Amino acid sequence: MVVPEALDRWRAGIPPLDAGNNAWMLVSAALVLLMTPGLAFFYGGMVRRKSVINMLMMSFSAMGTVGVVYVLWGYSMSFAGNALGGLVGNPVTAFGLARLGPTAADPNGLANSADAGSGVSGLAFAAFQLTFAIITVALISGAVADRMKFTTWLVFSVVWVSVVYFPLAHMVWGGGLLSGASDSLSALIFGRGPGGSAAIAPMDFAGGTVVHIDAGVAGIVLAFLLGRRKGHGRDPMRPHNVPFVMLGAGLLWFGWFGFNAGSAGGAGGLAALAWINTSTATSAAMLGWLAVERVLHGKATGIGAASGAVAGLVAITPGAGFVSPIGSVAIGALAGGICAWAIGLKSRLGLDDALDVGGVHLVGGIVGTVALGFFSTSTGLFYGGNADQLMAQAIIAGAAILFSGGLTLVIGLILRSTLGLRMSEDEEYDGDTAIHGESAYDFEGGTGIGSPGVLRGATHHQEASGHVASARAPEPASEPEEASA
Amino acid sequence: MVVPEALDRWRAGIPPLDAGNNAWMLVSAALVLLMTPGLAFFYGGMVRRKSVINMLMMSFSAMGTVGVVYVLWGYSMSFAGNALGGLVGNPVTAFGLARLGPTAADPNGLANSADAGSGVSGLAFAAFQLTFAIITVALISGAVADRMKFTTWLVFSVVWVSVVYFPLAHMVWGGGLLSGASDSLSALIFGRGPGGSAAIAPMDFAGGTVVHIDAGVAGIVLAFLLGRRKGHGRDPMRPHNVPFVMLGAGLLWFGWFGFNAGSAGGAGGLAALAWINTSTATSAAMLGWLAVERVLHGKATGIGAASGAVAGLVAITPGAGFVSPIGSVAIGALAGGICAWAIGLKSRLGLDDALDVGGVHLVGGIVGTVALGFFSTSTGLFYGGNADQLMAQAIIAGAAILFSGGLTLVIGLILRSTLGLRMSEDEEYDGDTAIHGESAYDFEGGTGIGSPGVLRGATHHQEASGHVASARAPEPASEPEEASA
Amino acid sequence: MVVPEALDRWRAGIPPLDAGNNAWMLVSAALVLLMTPGLAFFYGGMVRRKSVINMLMMSFSAMGTVGVVYVLWGYSMSFAGNALGGLVGNPVTAFGLARLGPTAADPNGLANSADAGSGVSGLAFAAFQLTFAIITVALISGAVADRMKFTTWLVFSVVWVSVVYFPLAHMVWGGGLLSGASDSLSALIFGRGPGGSAAIAPMDFAGGTVVHIDAGVAGIVLAFLLGRRKGHGRDPMRPHNVPFVMLGAGLLWFGWFGFNAGSAGGAGGLAALAWINTSTATSAAMLGWLAVERVLHGKATGIGAASGAVAGLVAITPGAGFVSPIGSVAIGALAGGICAWAIGLKSRLGLDDALDVGGVHLVGGIVGTVALGFFSTSTGLFYGGNADQLMAQAIIAGAAILFSGGLTLVIGLILRSTLGLRMSEDEEYDGDTAIHGESAYDFEGGTGIGSPGVLRGATHHQEASGHVASARAPEPASEPEEASA
Amino acid sequence: MNLITAVIKPFKLEDVRTALLAHGVTGMTVCEASGYGRQRGHTEVYRGAEYTVELLPKVRIDLLVADEDTGDVIDAIVRAAWTGKIGDGKVWAVPVATAVRVRTGERDAAAI
Amino acid sequence: MNLITAVIKPFKLEDVRTALLAHGVTGMTVCEASGYGRQRGHTEVYRGAEYTVELLPKVRIDLLVADEDTGDVIDAIVRAAWTGKIGDGKVWAVPVATAVRVRTGERDAAAI
Amino acid sequence: MNLITAVIKPFKLEDVRTALLAHGVTGMTVCEASGYGRQRGHTEVYRGAEYTVELLPKVRIDLLVADEDTGDVIDAIVRAAWTGKIGDGKVWAVPVATAVRVRTGERDAAAI
Ligand SMILES: Nc1ncnc2c1ncn2[C@@H]1O[C@H](COP(=O)(O)OP(=O)(O)O)[C@@H](O)[C@H]1O
Ligand SMILES: Nc1ncnc2c1ncn2[C@@H]1O[C@H](COP(=O)(O)OP(=O)(O)O)[C@@H](O)[C@H]1O
Ligand SMILES: Nc1ncnc2c1ncn2[C@@H]1O[C@H](COP(=O)(O)OP(=O)(O)O)[C@@H](O)[C@H]1O
């Protein structure tokens, strides 16, 4: 039953397609893509009514900008061979995903697939990776909520993903400096094992460093450069829609199965292990967060359940395929508890990391990355390993923090002195109506035909005609707040 | 390791199952099914509070009616052989999906599968196609928002899908008049190639004509027959829930991976290409819409981001598997920009296409269909092709417009003079409470036990007992609006 | 092309992985997991604004508790061999999912997989089953809405799933008393067929008894023990957010494809059949519910469409793989109609099953289970079978009712006299703010920077410092309601 | 004629409406309101930040009554809205110069 | 000075505002309200339970006017808010002791 | 006794409440409101249609005060609510005939 073309391909060295694995990667890519709208709601529910659209737009616009940039030079910079001594791939080699697509001779696009060993099409792998780049950028937006200039955000998303994310993805997953390749840092430190790769390789199954530590640090740096929201620490800034936060958490949990189990690169036993660990750590982290919250504040909250779940998802990301289900329960419970406590730190530091990107993604990412030194079933201290893996994990986490922190600072400073980081006072005051010319809800208007939308929506329809003139008389600037750090 | 039953099946000419492809089709079908609730929210957020339930119900009820009709005669009319000279399939041949299901001899239902070549079960293919029929009908509802009689909508959904959608699906995908089959229009015009099929076949990968042009035209025709909403052009009719619009867009984007990449009919390299192009075109279209909006109105809006994404998804639908990633960026950017501008046309035409089914689905569908004449990597003008493909695309688009437009007009006129198309004035005035006997939100009531739901919800509980008498004194009809066209 | 390791595994009796089937199980597991957030919204939209977070939290916390418990002893109690005469599995055998994970010799974890015959990893099967346990517990919460003590709910979820769900899952699916195994009840009653298993086996494809009857009965018992909500039958208790109910229904429908088609255990023709039947029955049930509603109350409602869809999903669950598409239309239409009528029963019984867990899941589960006696294409009365299958179905339904009802009563009584079942009057009065220390929405606050959140949200920011003192003066207990049954 | 305004607990609205009906009052206008007074608010927690909610949900009822009924109607409201707990609310009356029914143009006593 | 309060049907707000503008009134304060009166409510059904909604959506307008304008303004509102159907609402006036514009501290006639 | 009504910018509510507390006023009733006046609204765009929002969010405070405190309280509110920009709002006072505390039945001065 061997088809002659298949034989030709075999002779040409083109690996066979595995439709099961390929299907799983396509599904996983779709699941991860859904995480960004999920995140948008997780974040959007947490801000005040006045700026929910802006919050959603920061995630959605990242789907726009990064989605385009990735196919242009992003994939190439991440996975197309080493350049600059293992720091980054060459942006030109696979520009526009050149040479990955199906051809007559290679109808499933496997010849140049980075995941060809599993019979996964090159474009399926690229699709999967594309969604990671998007959500990493979107994650940052939580830290800058309510005050970052929208056009600057668009520019930032393009620059940051190119200068910070793609290189880091290359270093960790593309065979670069922080991988286990023969010319990696680990090979230098721990020596080379049989086959030439590092004897001890740093572990990051699905992006604890590349995604979470990376975005967490960037968020903190931007929050620092932006300064605090007007009224921070004085005015109440409570979530305007807790069900949206929980909806977002639900979608994130769902999508994260693609994120983690998809990182197995196929639909075998490793994916199943990553699936189970993802779920279990999340469950345990939710309980851990609720418990700590109960002790510290007397109540277990819905925001806490959602946040705990996300903390667990973050923490199990680096080790989803490397620990046992019991290990994942422990990592989850730890991460949930620690993050619930860590979100209190920012107020001591005077930092306005609005939606706790630091407390959840940076801290959760570090917990999960370092925990592998203990819980990795192959090399962890609790499974008879020595301290080498722990050291390797500390190094990769530290390197990601320094790399992302330093470069984000430079990018932020340049943007601050060129385009400006912070929106105008009017925009910060009024939120969506000033920034995007729309308001999120109109529950009052439209109760009867001809209702002029009594509250907050009383409007006259005009022929659309060019620019929206700002019709508002200048608002008082009576708040004595800080402007920026 | 060859199982004897498998050999028997081989001898009986029953193709082997490909579990990977079959899994992908089942997943894709589920993804497309989710698009209809997604669309319901995309639309539901855009109407006024008073009619959000009615808007949601038009999509949900299409899931009810079309879901049943499809298994009865829909599949058969679409894919069960030619009848009426290539216009439609025979509704009886596969009534109730007869002969597609698994049997003892054919445990995976492949013997009569329309996608047997990929090892996909007949029922998996039918499931996938079923979801397309549902969403096509649901798409139309955006044009008739707020004023179409609900029972007439139910009847319309059954009639329209049977008379317009199934035949068109047959003509384009079922080997009918608009396909590339040997007795198709294209074969007539462009001659036959080797193997007997048309030398140049019109291209519609996933439904640019069958779904989007089709629904877009039908929406415009219905909107024309219904006349404008009361208060149109005078009262503000702004979206009551922008986050719902964006939630809907997120779910549509997610589900559309099933729609487009599933249209590859399996999980190989073509599906991966369609996946990437779907994402990329959507990203680019979002940016395109936001840019045009910024220029025309001074602000980039959340509704704009959501609408741009949908415009991109529409436009890449016909070509998802036929263009390169770079091509998809171009098609997306074009479609986003053009649709952002096109939605302004309806007011010049005095047409109340309430939620821009024309501006987004018809225009986006045409842009995407015609663009293949340029961007198709096999036959497009930009890739060394001649103008034949462009002509074929123009023909298929034009044929779909005429076919759908004409038949929808006839159906609409008949319904208008029998059941009536438009709801009563009271229903249009009050929306959900009059049409469905419920109101969407009760944010005021229920703040304390025994709260009588002060605002808009002050109610007495009564033993349910037969019909709801209309308890409302007749409302004034003081608006001088038009009644219908 | 045979890899030597694969040969070794073959010799060691380890079955080969089927990546397509495994992918489908992983996807299905993710889909079912999403059902619980979906259910949370389906339920959350139906309660009053004051308690939507509590309602969401009952589902989310079940994801926490059951998610952890399942990997510890849940899987083992359900599927790890018989103990106690077929009543339950041994909780220790596979504690922590021991021996299921991938090993060097068995890299896909197939050696001890309960679904090894389909090439599905042991952990993928466990993942799929885990999600069923979660949603079954979450389903119960609809009956106890607004009044069950939250900590007691957490404890209940752990105890009930261990004492009721795992044993029932074992009995029906784990080769226990209610399966078709050689030492099952059915073997006793109907005799053994060739191969030793029962001549007539009770049918439950995806959990009509284990999930729906089980949870439905438990909900009714708890509602009975808890007593009615304060103000029940006097105060209006209308859904505060109908779109959320419909969103939940949409997510449930989507996820249910995993639930039912995933229960095929792989991605072949049986899964495709289950997919189609799931969709079709749901469509028909929606129409059935709307029709009955229209006749009884004069309007077809959005809540009705959502409820009808869920009733159809419930009813097709036991037979998704055993009936024809036409059969599924009939079962769906029946279930929709019957459940629409059945939800009226509770008020005659004076029972406050708040969100109709009984009327939808118990009744729908019974309808679907018993209907197989008629509609099963292999053994049903309408397909030439005799009454044996009908009897087997009645027995399994009855057994599930008795088993779940009796044990839930015992658990409930013990919890009532220890932890207490019912929340304090204050908590019931105030809902989320008292129970979880947060309120769901703040649409008023935050309209300008420095806005103190005028309505219901006027707040002072305080340094978080230990416990939240209850700042509320004692509220009147002026309602003359019953306390509990 | 007087305008009586009552600020009461939301869950008492139905009782008050019933009591007023019994007194022959068949019209009133109701608004959501928030009250600040001796009644203490509650505390909410979000991601570790605690908020004290000081404004509590109330309902405001406005109704026009003839001079001679004013005392009785006030008493009826007070009786129906009473729970005896802090926060039961206030009732006050303001003299009205003139009143019109929009539909008929009827004035004063005839308007209510 | 008087405080005129009008309770009207929501969809008439725009007409009233336009009419007031024509009378030189350039300021007003508007609230959502619910009205109970002769106008009948409607019925809603949820999972088989029927509810009668008795309170109907209204809009409440408050505006300060000089004594001499009071009559005219009331008439203007009544005319603009009129549909002739039950439930058109009420307008009433209450004498005001003093009024201040916050921005300038101007009092009484100058404040409006 | 007087009923003081203040229509102010929402973000000034907290300042006003604090100022009133300093004056010994411990109770008030607050409503959301929308104001129309000289302050200009803003423009919103939806799918190419532009809307001018004319009604702006305000907060309405009602509080009963003894005759002798009225002037001081009005002044305190005006000072606290002031920003100096158009749209700061209005404060006015209306004489009250009688007031009752629901919980105790106390009248007039004792009721507030
Ligand atoms: N001086 C006042 N003016 C207007 N409304 C007031 C005043 N004092 C209290 N209120 C209203 O009455 C409600 C109840 O007052 P509160 O002092 O809490 O209890 P009580 O009336 O039982 O003494 C407050 O929430 C507020 O709405
Ligand atoms: N006595 C009253 N005091 C205050 N408002 C009233 C009174 N009676 C009626 N209203 C208000 O006027 C509205 C219309 O009254 P209704 O009796 O329904 O119709 P109409 O004014 O046409 O006779 C009511 O919804 C209510 O808001
Ligand atoms: N005649 C009036 N009667 C009642 N409220 C008024 C009146 N004029 C203005 N207001 C209220 O005062 C607010 C501010 O008025 P505006 O004219 O915009 O600014 P300013 O008071 O600073 O001159 C308005 O939004 C409205 O709520």
Side-chain angles (χ1 to χ4, degrees), chain C residues 70 78-80 82 86 114 125 128-133 136 165-181 202-212 214 259-260 263 317-318 322 396:
Chain C
Y70 197 85
S78 307
F79 294 100
N82 261 333
F125 179 78
F128 184 63
Q129 292 296 334
L130 174 156
T131 60
F132 277 60
T136 306
Y165 180 84
F166 299 146
L168 197 59
H170 178 78
M171 284 189 267
V172 177
W173 294 327
L177 218 58
L178 301 175
S179 69
M203 290 173 152
D204 187 0
F205 193 73
T209 52
V210 179
V211 174
H212 296 290
D214 197 9
F259 201 92
N260 284 357
S263 290
T317 294
F322 302 134
I396 193 177

Side-chain angles (χ1 to χ4, degrees), chain B residues 185 204 262:
Chain B
L185 215 66
D204 186 359

Side-chain angles (χ1 to χ4, degrees), chain C residues 373-450:
Chain C
F374 301 94
F375 289 100
S376 154
T377 48
S378 56
T379 53
L381 277 168
F382 293 169
Y383 292 81
N386 58 24
D388 280 0
Q389 189 66 48
L390 186 60
M391 205 173 123
Q393 296 306 105
I395 291 171
I396 193 177
I401 292 172
L402 291 178
F403 185 80
S404 173
L407 284 177
T408 307
L409 187 67
V410 172
I411 297 170
L413 284 171
I414 293 174
L415 287 176
R416 189 162 76 172
S417 60
T418 50
L419 295 172
L421 279 184
R422 190 147 179 158
M423 53 177 68
S424 74
E425 256 189 16
D426 254 34
E427 287 178 327
E428 190 170 345
Y429 241 88
D430 293 343
D432 298 334
T433 56
I435 307 167
H436 300 290
E438 58 191 346
S439 46
Y441 309 102
D442 181 12
F443 290 131
E444 297 86 8
T447 41
I449 290 176

Side-chain angles (χ1 to χ4, degrees), chain A residues 199-239:
Chain A
I200 288 286
M203 292 173 151
D204 187 359
F205 192 73
T209 52
V210 179
V211 175
H212 296 289
I213 292 182
D214 196 8
V217 173
I220 284 183
V221 169
L222 275 194
F224 168 75
L225 290 178
L226 273 166
R228 288 175 290 166
R229 285 166 290 174
K230 292 196 178 303
H232 179 251
R234 194 201 60 178
D235 300 328
M237 294 178 170
R238 44 152 299 201

